[in-house]
Amino acid sequence: DWQPPRFLIRRVSTQGGAWLVEGVCRDEFGLAEVLLDHTSVFRLTDTRHLSELPISLRVPLTGATLTATDRAGNRLQSPLNATVLAQMAMPQERTPRQFADSVCPFPPGKESQPLRVFADLRLSAPPNATVLSRMETHARAFERRARTAQMGLCAQTAPAPTTDRLRPSLSLRGCQPLTRVFAEDFYVDGTAADGGGLVSVTINGENLLAPDDQGAIRTYFARRITLDPGTNRFDVVATDRTGNQASQTLTVIRLSPEHLSENLRLSVGVPPLTPADTGLIGVRVKRSMETELTKSPVRFRLLERDEGWNFVLREQGLSVSDLADPSAALRIGKMVPAEMLLMGKIFTEAKGLTVYLKAVETGNGTVVFASDVYSPDSDLGLDNAVAGLVLKVQQGFPLITGEVLRRQGNHVTLNVGRQQGTTENSRFLVISASPAKSITDGQVCKAEGQPIQLQVESVQHNTSKARIIPSAADAIVKEGYYVYTR
């Protein structure tokens, strides 16, 4: 569970010098604690599951903050601002006379105006039949009006039904219309309110209000959303009971930190497997390896696949059977810009087959990793077996984050060693560091447009020593800079 609770307000009124806030707090996976400022409203004391908590709070007139935490530790903070509560407060009960005055008001100080008009008519001239008729009409109308006012009704001037044309209010906290992040998820939280009641608050069509929550006059919501690489768009819409809507659109661009770029990973090539007579099985294993190597997240940068290998072997005077010798990687490395070759061999067993794979550096022909996998079924289970083999290779080159502890000339001491997975063949990128910034915000250090590398030469338990490549870049590498495995 990684979604925080929700808090909805159904009614706000004043009572005894405080705000009375009535609502409900919900979390599908269970609430653990609810606080009003630092005062406990609810605390889970056993293992029972409580997904809905009706709430009646006495909030100081100055306001307060409600904090709801679920059993997974996700937290929602809901500021109960005094100004906002005043806007949501229900009107006080009115006397029949106050109600009558609200729908049949007399002008200020003119409550007895019809009586004075009657008196003026009597004194201004001798009454005739017409004048007496008008006077009697005014008197009867006033009497009727006075009686209905006492009853709290005024049928003659009752207001016509009105249509709610006001949109709900919608506020997103800490969310800009355009945001760039490196994280895999994005946190959206905010408030929506409407005096007539809300029916939905949606993010890209998903309603955050449960059916029982419809009609709430205010809701505090939060949502963690998984991001796809690149551009993500989210439409947040609040809708009231009459269909009025308020909406905001968020565009979140998920960036990949420079040091995680596929172009900076170790470059590898997968030549044909030996022996040459493996036929279609060898082709299938090779293709399965390449498919697994290109799946995200990418650990290696895979170079050209089938095309070109026959030409390379022919130019170097090699046959497929020669690929069984790691020294062939030295000759291939002269033509192929790969730092390593994943050289495989297939052994046919009495039942099934074994695929043996070794990672060989093209610069010196050294085998830096080797493993194998057995598949009892050369047909149905082979692809899964090869996927497991490639996974073992990737785990043999773990991604490690560390820092430069010391620099001595063109050598450095790192704070990562054998315990963290560092080996004598590990290579690291150097990432600039600045105060209060993480490795994600740093830039890969470069010399003449090429990334600076650290080649590990010796490894201790928790530290290692590495050589700066190129050596002329030693002045660029500083103590405290981050390092990340290539």
Side-chain angles (χ1 to χ4, degrees), residues 269-290 306 309 313 319-324 342-347 353-358 373 382 386 389:
V270 182
L273 276 69
T274 60
D277 60 2
T278 55
L280 293 178
I281 291 294
V283 173
R284 178 178 171 181
V285 170
K286 182 176 182 298
R287 291 192 182 279
S288 293
M289 289 173 55
E290 293 169 336
D306 290 336
W309 280 111
L313 296 178
S319 64
V320 172
S321 59
D322 293 326
L323 296 176
L342 298 182
M343 306 173 73
K345 186 174 183 179
I346 296 177
F347 295 91
L353 53 85
T354 296
V355 180
Y356 173 76
L357 189 66
K358 54 182 179 284
V373 66
L382 181 58
V386 173
L389 178 59

Side-chain angles (χ1 to χ4, degrees), residues 118 121-122 124-137:
F118 177 71
L121 286 171
R122 288 199 303 173
S124 61
N128 55 34
T130 302
V131 172
L132 287 173
S133 177
R134 289 175 60 190
M135 291 165 56
E136 291 174 359
T137 301

Side-chain angles (χ1 to χ4, degrees), residues 78-263:
S78 306
L80 303 177
N81 181 278
T83 303
V84 174
L85 292 176
Q87 295 172 350
M88 292 189 292
M90 300 294 289
Q92 297 295 319
E93 292 295 329
R94 293 175 291 184
T95 64
R97 178 56 187 267
Q98 290 173 326
F99 177 79
D101 287 344
S102 70
V103 295
C104 302
F106 291 109
K110 302 294 185 180
E111 291 81 0
S112 60
Q113 183 180 18
L115 289 177
R116 285 201 300 271
V117 171
F118 177 71
D120 291 342
L121 286 171
R122 288 199 303 173
L123 298 175
S124 61
N128 55 34
T130 302
V131 172
L132 287 173
S133 177
R134 289 175 60 190
M135 291 165 56
E136 291 174 359
T137 301
H138 278 289
R140 285 194 296 271
F142 174 73
E143 291 174 359
R144 287 195 302 269
R145 188 170 183 176
R147 284 196 301 270
T148 55
Q150 291 175 355
M151 296 168 56
L153 301 172
C154 190
Q156 293 90 337
T157 56
T162 59
T163 302
D164 178 10
R165 296 193 180 98
L166 294 178
R167 295 183 300 168
S169 66
L170 177 63
S171 175
L172 301 179
R173 294 184 287 186
C175 298
Q176 301 298 322
L178 176 62
T179 308
R180 292 177 172 85
V181 299
F182 292 102
E184 296 181 356
D185 53 83
F186 188 73
Y187 190 84
V188 177
D189 71 326
T191 59
D194 188 89
L198 296 162
V199 295
S200 67
V201 177
T202 63
I203 299 179
N204 282 7
E206 179 188 356
N207 193 356
L208 304 184
L209 292 184
D212 291 343
D213 297 334
Q214 294 185 8
I217 60 176
R218 191 173 187 86
T219 177
Y220 296 83
F221 61 89
R223 191 73 167 170
R224 289 181 67 175
I225 307 171
T226 301
L227 299 176
D228 294 324
T231 301
N232 300 261
R233 172 175 167 149
F234 303 106
D235 295 313
V236 185
V237 181
T239 306
D240 66 15
R241 282 175 163 169
T242 56
N244 301 308
Q245 291 186 335
S247 64
Q248 292 191 38
T249 297
L250 303 175
T251 300
V252 184
I253 301 176
R254 177 184 166 189
L255 303 172
S256 177
E258 184 182 14
H259 66 277
L260 297 182
S261 171
E262 180 181 345
N263 293 331

Side-chain angles (χ1 to χ4, degrees), residues 305-316:
R305 299 163 119 175
D306 290 336
E307 56 275 7
W309 280 111
N310 290 334
F311 173 76
V312 170
L313 296 178
R314 185 168 60 252
E315 286 295 306
Q316 293 300 315

Side-chain angles (χ1 to χ4, degrees), residues 5 25-27 30-33 42 44 50-51 53 69-71:
C25 194
R26 299 181 189 277
D27 189 275
L31 293 163
E33 184 179 50
F42 164 79
L44 188 66
L50 182 66
S51 60
L53 178 68
T69 306
D70 66 16
R71 297 176 65 179

